[in-house]
Amino acid sequence: MIPQYPTGHDLLSGKVVVVTAAAGTGIGSAVARRCLEEGASVVISDWHERRLGEKAAELAELGKVHAIPCDVTKEEQVQALIDSAVGHFGRLDVMVNNAGLGGTKSVLDMADDEWSRVLDITLTGTFRCTRAALRQFVAQGGGGAIVNNASVIGWRAQAGQAHYAAAKAGVMALTRCSALDAAGHGVRINAVAPSLAMHPFLAKVTSDELLEDLTRREAFGRAAEPWEVANVMVFLASDYASYLTGEVVSVSSQHP
């Protein structure tokens, strides 16, 4: 049974939040929606401009939304994202690094460019956004929060996922180490590690057999809804997590 969708409680009232890869139907758009419902002003970004515009129009019914196209593999576009967010809303309080790329390929058949693309978007893209956000936080006088989207696959082995698992394990390590670099500036950096969050794009790129197998491993007998993962990201972004940094929170009911 899927639980009731929660109402907002102003956990992010007055904060400015940037969310990458927010134009689709997955965790990114869900966290953007939940941030708006919790009182934040939200900047959404994505590389797909048409979908980004459509998502911005949809979310604008909930609150203040600003959309900026951004390819996280391009440092200048990442910096432009931060600059535009600050120019539009006056400051930055929360950076949600959601952009990532997966795929299924055996190491035996994987080409260098397939490996590199997944690492560049999923891990190095998170680094670029973390660096740009941290520099903005310091320029503002300190404070702020970064929330990264990792995955339980960074801990658990799965055939055909060497590139994605390596990238997500890297996101976890980046989260822990950058948190120590940022702590002196009053900035918190944490991550979530979802197991299986169902949305149309995942269903499109994953076989029914694999989805059924992954679902069977979940203690609740179902995949998470994207908003259930987003709720944990909202908590990590909020002042309720004021003494939490360098942590990777598993959002999973998976059992062996």
Side-chain angles (χ1 to χ4, degrees), residues 172-182 189 246:
M172 293 177 178
L174 171 64
T175 297
R176 291 189 289 266
C177 294
S178 60
L180 296 183
D181 293 338
I189 305 178

Side-chain angles (χ1 to χ4, degrees), residues 13 32 104 109 117 133 138 147 183 201 206 217 226:
S13 180
T104 302
D109 304 316
R117 181 160 172 76
V138 171
V147 183
F201 180 75
T206 310
R217 300 183 192 181

Side-chain angles (χ1 to χ4, degrees), residues 12 16-22 27-32 35 42-45 72 81-82 92-99 125-126 129-130 133 137 145-149 190-192 229-230 232-238:
L12 300 176
V16 176
V17 180
V18 172
V19 184
T20 63
I27 293 171
S29 61
V31 75
C35 287
V42 176
V43 176
I44 60 171
S45 77
V72 297
L81 169 63
I82 300 301
L92 175 67
D93 298 293
V94 178
M95 183 78 206
V96 177
N97 291 317
N98 176 67
T126 299
C129 292
T130 295
F137 291 147
I146 296 174
V147 183
N148 297 325
N149 193 357
N190 294 289
V192 297
V229 179
V232 182
M233 300 175 89
V234 165
F235 162 72
L236 292 174
S238 77

Side-chain angles (χ1 to χ4, degrees), residues 44-167:
I44 60 171
S45 77
D46 206 285
W47 67 272
H48 197 296
E49 294 191 37
R50 178 183 58 80
R51 287 203 306 256
L52 180 63
E54 292 171 351
K55 181 58 66 174
E58 173 190 326
L59 293 175
E61 298 179 2
L62 299 173
K64 296 178 180 178
V65 179
H66 183 50
I68 307 167
C70 178
D71 178 349
V72 297
T73 69
K74 310 294 185 185
E75 181 182 355
E76 66 276 10
Q77 292 193 28
V78 170
Q79 188 59 54
L81 169 63
I82 300 301
D83 291 344
S84 182
V86 174
H88 191 81
F89 286 121
R91 60 179 294 106
L92 175 67
D93 298 293
V94 178
M95 183 78 206
V96 177
N97 291 317
N98 176 67
L101 177 68
T104 302
K105 198 71 170 283
S106 168
V107 168
L108 287 88
D109 304 316
M110 190 180 298
D112 280 14
D113 62 339
E114 292 174 306
W115 170 273
S116 297
R117 181 160 172 76
V118 170
L119 269 289
D120 195 19
I121 293 173
T122 308
L123 175 56
T124 311
T126 299
F127 157 71
R128 292 185 187 102
C129 292
T130 295
R131 178 178 60 191
L134 277 176
R135 288 173 174 172
Q136 178 60 36
F137 291 147
V138 171
Q140 292 174 179
I146 296 174
V147 183
N148 297 325
N149 193 357
S151 169
V152 295
I153 207 167
W155 288 314
R156 300 167 182 169
Q158 186 173 314
Q161 296 294 314
H163 48 355
Y164 187 64

